Amino acid sequence: MSISLIQKYNVPGPRYTSYPTVPYWDLDTFDASKWKQTYLQSFNESNTSESISLYIHLPFCESLCTFCGCHKRITKRHEVESPYITAVLKEWDLYCQTFSEQPIIKELHLGGGTPTFFSPENLKTLINGIFSKAERAKDHEFSFEGHPNNTSREHLQTLFELGFRRVSYGVQDYSPIVQKAIHRDQSFHNVAKVTFWAKEIGYTSISHDLIYGLPFQTLKDVIDTIEKTKSLSPDRLAFYSYAHVPWIKGNGQRGFKDEDLPKDDTKRLLYEIGKQLLEKKGYHEIGMDHFALTTDSMYQAFQDKKLHRNFMGYTSSKTQLMIGLGASSISDSWYGFAQNEKSIEDYYALLDKNEIPVFKGHILSSEDVIIRKHILNIMCHFETSWNNELQFEALPEVLNRLQELAADGLLVLLPNGLQLTETGKAFVRNVCMAFDLHLQKHAPQTQLFSMTV
């Protein structure tokens, strides 16, 4: 890949888990009553036809990983488990009281934090509590994030019996030097053990998360990590760019210096070589930063143009409504977004008042909805098209911005759409930025986002 392209397009940019992105949410016009109106509209439109999704944020970790940008609470006190589960189930009950019928759950994901911080018994209490007020869709897909160091066979067996068939393990990198810098000491033995346990129990989709661009990481480290990963044959994997955003409050990204990170063309080389290795080993690029074997449901969804993306990441099926439970969780009604209180104490306080604990959000305009569809198409399928339904007033100015990306070989403009080139797939975030009217109208004065390359 051209170094000049990397230098030109390596700018701060969103990852587009939502559109508009969180910094551009209209907080002044948002309130809990408007959120309720949008999620009930979405529920009534889609619960019976396509079911709904649940994301449950379990924020506790026993130690701080210094590469992590997630909302978390560091503690070794496991007595926090039961009160938190009680709170999440109360939040779910508050939602269920407003629904016109019993919710049908198609997707359920336990994220963190560290979900396996919680005991198998408490996780069983949580899931059974959720389904005391809901039913499982016939084609449901339940997944959770497991830490290789504390995921027990009992965790895996318990969740399997509750309907979970997909597990994702955070690997990051196997280099001892990198692991020390990011405070994530875990052996290949531990990863292999939990991966083989999941296979023996019957999990049908096992995923590993890898990161490139970490402090002190070299090309040799990336190659070694991918070789070890292939020996375990996960069904899918994420190969993320490390998002260095140390300015975000509460972020754990410390313990190393900016100069310890691979820069620009060096960082991109880690990805390019890593991608080549993954493709040689049978993994196919799916959307941004994701790869899957042909036997995995995500690969089939990509082939069938059914891949979807939301705050849980890429999913192999779409639901219109995703409810986020737990502190800091974000919900998506398609017509609006809402984020829960980030502080566990503030989250508990609103629940004590019998209020759904949202504190900010955004109600999408009709233009927002159309642009959101284009960005989803580009993120999930590397293409989009505009017809009468997907035209919008600002389309001419978007097309004008796309001309330069087309001239640089990143995409091909068609009479009524665009397709990314192979080169352009590495710059998918930059292509989406051309559609982002909020970003274009109000360019940030300080850095809000990680670099795109």
Side-chain angles (χ1 to χ4, degrees), residues 423-438:
T423 299
K425 289 178 182 180
F427 301 96
V428 61
R429 292 162 69 183
N430 302 83
V431 177
C432 292
M433 287 164 67
F435 284 82
D436 190 338
L437 298 188
H438 293 277

Side-chain angles (χ1 to χ4, degrees), residues 120-332:
E121 181 181 359
N122 281 334
L123 291 175
K124 184 176 182 179
T125 298
L126 171 63
I127 301 305
N128 284 339
I130 293 293
F131 285 102
S132 68
K133 301 180 185 302
E135 61 179 290
R136 293 168 171 80
K138 291 181 180 179
D139 56 347
H140 65 264
E141 183 174 286
F142 299 167
S143 57
F144 74 97
E145 297 167 15
H147 193 310
N149 286 355
N150 68 9
T151 299
S152 66
R153 191 176 182 109
E154 187 182 359
H155 277 117
L156 290 161
Q157 188 66 49
T158 298
L159 290 170
F160 183 84
E161 291 169 0
L162 291 166
F164 287 73
R165 295 294 181 269
R166 189 166 77 80
V167 58
S168 175
Y169 295 121
V171 174
Q172 326 322 340
D173 188 284
Y174 285 114
S175 163
I177 295 172
V178 174
Q179 288 188 4
K180 181 178 180 180
I182 64 175
H183 201 233
R184 179 82 174 201
D185 183 18
Q186 64 188 22
S187 66
F188 175 71
H189 171 78
N190 283 356
V191 178
K193 179 176 64 177
V194 294
T195 298
F196 289 132
W197 277 348
K199 291 183 178 186
E200 289 169 3
I201 289 169
Y203 282 78
T204 55
S205 183
I206 299 168
S207 178
H208 287 187
D209 289 350
L210 313 179
I211 298 180
Y212 67 94
L214 290 167
F216 305 110
Q217 190 179 48
T218 67
L219 182 57
K220 182 180 177 182
D221 296 330
V222 168
I223 293 172
D224 179 65
T225 294
I226 289 177
E227 292 289 350
K228 285 184 168 71
T229 299
K230 175 53 183 171
S231 72
L232 302 179
S233 295
D235 302 278
R236 65 176 75 164
L237 53 87
F239 189 36
Y240 292 115
S241 166
Y242 167 60
H244 191 53
V245 286
W247 54 86
I248 295 178
K249 184 179 179 181
N251 202 308
Q253 295 179 338
R254 56 182 183 269
F256 50 86
K257 302 174 183 177
D258 286 359
E259 53 263 35
D260 298 329
L261 299 170
K263 296 295 187 296
D264 298 348
D265 53 328
T266 302
K267 181 180 178 182
R268 195 66 208 174
L269 180 65
L270 301 181
Y271 177 79
E272 293 297 332
I273 298 298
K275 176 183 173 181
Q276 291 172 21
L277 271 176
L278 291 170
E279 290 176 340
K280 286 180 181 178
K281 296 178 184 302
Y283 290 92
H284 296 261
E285 188 173 21
I286 307 295
M288 181 179 72
D289 303 333
H290 284 68
F291 297 81
L293 298 175
T294 57
T295 51
D296 190 77
S297 61
M298 185 173 283
Y299 174 80
Q300 196 57 54
F302 179 73
Q303 292 295 105
D304 296 341
K305 296 190 183 300
K306 293 181 179 179
L307 194 66
H308 185 57
R309 180 175 167 84
N310 55 28
F311 283 102
M312 296 190 291
Y314 282 106
T315 66
S316 55
S317 60
K318 173 186 174 295
T319 61
Q320 184 170 307
L321 175 61
M322 186 193 80
I323 298 292
L325 303 177
S328 82
S329 278
I330 299 178
S331 299
D332 176 0

Side-chain angles (χ1 to χ4, degrees), residues 339-449:
Q339 183 170 20
N340 283 352
E341 288 285 0
K342 296 179 182 180
S343 157
I344 294 172
E345 291 75 19
D346 292 340
Y347 171 73
Y348 286 166
L350 281 184
L351 288 171
D352 287 342
K353 297 177 183 177
N354 294 314
E355 296 178 19
I356 290 175
V358 300
F359 84 106
K360 72 176 183 180
H362 178 87
I363 305 303
L364 277 74
S365 67
S366 57
E367 185 178 65
D368 285 341
V369 172
I370 292 173
I371 293 173
R372 179 185 188 183
K373 290 179 181 178
H374 283 300
I375 288 177
L376 272 174
N377 287 340
I378 294 166
M379 279 281 177
C380 295
H381 313 307
F382 298 130
E383 63 183 26
T384 193
S385 61
W386 36 87
N387 48 32
N388 292 334
E389 178 190 353
L390 289 183
Q391 288 187 0
F392 54 99
E393 187 176 345
L395 181 59
E397 69 177 75
V398 171
L399 287 172
N400 187 54
R401 285 192 289 271
L402 291 172
Q403 294 290 340
E404 185 174 3
L405 287 92
D408 286 334
L410 306 187
L411 58 88
V412 176
L413 283 171
L414 306 171
N416 290 298
L418 67 83
Q419 289 181 336
L420 270 67
T421 62
E422 281 300 314
T423 299
K425 289 178 182 180
F427 301 96
V428 61
R429 292 162 69 183
N430 302 83
V431 177
C432 292
M433 287 164 67
F435 284 82
D436 190 338
L437 298 188
H438 293 277
L439 180 67
Q440 299 296 335
K441 291 176 183 176
H442 305 286
Q445 300 304 305
T446 58
Q447 189 168 350
L448 298 177
F449 307 108

